[in-house]
């Protein structure tokens, strides 16, 4: 969850940097913020990364748009589509507007249900498969989890054949 003080003039390129830091990503791919129904829909209002601006893509540069210009009222939604191959579409939703305390940072990220996906892990479907496979409490993957704890039988056979 991103908590930002709208009065502090945070631009979308800065929001993107904050999200990259929160997710532990390297900013190695293109991104586009948009207001609309789906990534790459021509009807969207797009906010472009520098490469897209150089390429002449239609939209407004992210460094010219403040967060409060896109999220003004509770319920407003802005998306950040990152890595057009893996297609991570992050949803930013304004839940409430509160007065900022003077000692609060300009923005902070907190919360989340689980660790963020690794950069270049293959997208949502692959991340879900990886997460399920690593979850020893998942009943579908529990046998594999037990095998990992006591040594997979194939691994034991290989070690025995190798004299280990």
């Amino acid at each position: 969850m991103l908590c930002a003080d709208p009065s502090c003039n945070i631009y979308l390129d800065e929001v993107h940097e904050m999200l990259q830091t929160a997710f532990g990503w390297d900013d190695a791919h293109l991104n586009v913020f948009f207001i609309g129904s789906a990534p790459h829909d021509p009807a969207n209002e797009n906010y472009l990364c520098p490469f897209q601006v150089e390429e002449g893509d239609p939209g407004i540069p992210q460094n010219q748009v403040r967060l409060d210009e896109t999220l003004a009222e509770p319920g407003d939604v802005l998306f950040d589509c990152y890595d057009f191959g893996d297609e991570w579409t992050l949803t930013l939703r304004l839940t409430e507007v509160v007065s900022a305390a003077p000692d609060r940072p300009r923005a902070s990220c907190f919360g989340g249900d689980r660790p963020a996906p690794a950069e270049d892990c293959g997208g949502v479907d692959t991340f879900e498969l990886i997460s399920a496979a690593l979850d020893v409490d998942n009943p579908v993957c529990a046998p594999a989890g037990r095998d990992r704890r006591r040594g997979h039988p194939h691994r034991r056979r290989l070690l025995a054949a190798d004299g280990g």
Side-chain angles (χ1 to χ4, degrees):
M1 178 176 290
L2 172 69
C3 179
D5 176 1
S7 67
C8 66
N9 296 323
I10 296 175
Y11 286 82
L12 295 184
D13 60 331
E14 296 173 285
V15 172
H16 179 70
E17 288 176 22
M18 291 175 201
L19 294 170
Q20 290 290 300
T21 300
F23 276 75
W25 290 342
D26 300 324
D27 201 15
H29 302 280
L30 300 178
N31 86 297
V32 62
F33 281 95
F34 67 92
I35 295 175
S37 60
H40 317 295
D41 182 336
N44 289 346
E45 184 170 320
N46 292 319
Y47 308 105
L48 312 174
C49 70
F51 179 83
Q52 294 165 306
V53 173
E54 290 172 18
E55 291 293 306
D57 291 357
I60 304 167
Q62 294 173 9
N63 65 356
Q64 295 179 11
V65 181
R66 291 188 325 266
L67 182 60
D68 68 326
E69 293 176 307
T70 60
L71 299 176
E73 299 292 326
D76 287 353
V77 176
L78 175 68
F79 300 96
D80 182 10
C81 180
Y82 174 68
D83 184 350
F84 300 160
D86 285 357
E87 195 92 0
W88 295 106
T89 303
L90 310 178
T91 303
L92 288 77
R93 182 181 331 273
L94 183 62
T95 56
E96 68 178 313
V97 178
V98 296
S99 299
D103 58 340
R104 246 172 104 173
R106 291 177 62 205
S108 58
C109 293
F110 59 93
D113 294 334
R114 59 184 171 188
E119 181 96 36
D120 289 323
C121 74
V124 173
D125 292 339
T126 304
F127 175 65
E128 292 297 337
L129 287 171
I130 292 168
S131 296
L134 295 175
D135 182 2
V136 296
D137 295 325
N138 182 332
V140 173
C141 299
R146 285 191 298 274
D147 288 342
R148 277 196 306 273
R149 286 192 287 271
R150 66 175 189 258
H152 194 278
H154 296 298
R155 183 175 180 278
R156 287 196 303 265
R157 278 196 296 267
L158 288 172
L159 288 172
D162 193 32

